[in-house]
Amino acid sequence: MDERTLNELKPGEAAHVVTLDPRHPLRRRLLELGFVRGARVSVVRRAPLGDPVEVRVNGTDLALRAADLRGIRVRA
């Protein structure tokens, strides 16, 4: 399987969360928002300059900074 960071997904691509960086400054909040192991997450779209990124997790759309997505490992 192809494992990479959530930031590397293109709009329209989906994957499942593998792990969250334990040192991520927003780790607790991201877990509360549903970025738990096995959760399906997809990239909806990116802002014209690439930041922020709209992602969908558990049916909820969120806008997150690209830097925050680098701490989320996913598998297609």
Side-chain angles (χ1 to χ4, degrees):
M1 292 271 196
D2 181 27
E3 189 174 307
R4 51 195 166 159
T5 65
L6 183 52
N7 187 52
E8 297 175 48
L9 269 85
K10 307 265 188 273
E13 289 186 313
H16 291 89
V17 175
V18 175
T19 188
L20 211 61
D21 183 353
R23 295 164 294 159
H24 197 294
L26 298 176
R27 178 180 169 77
R28 182 174 178 170
R29 184 67 180 133
L30 291 171
L31 289 169
E32 291 169 351
L33 289 170
F35 289 90
V36 296
R37 184 178 187 90
R40 181 177 163 79
V41 62
S42 61
V43 174
V44 178
R45 62 182 161 202
R46 292 181 178 271
L49 296 177
D51 207 16
V53 180
E54 183 180 354
V55 295
R56 181 172 293 141
V57 61
N58 296 330
T60 302
D61 290 353
L62 305 164
L64 297 169
R65 296 178 302 175
D68 292 333
L69 299 180
R70 289 186 192 106
I72 304 170
R73 305 265 329 147
V74 296
R75 182 174 294 144

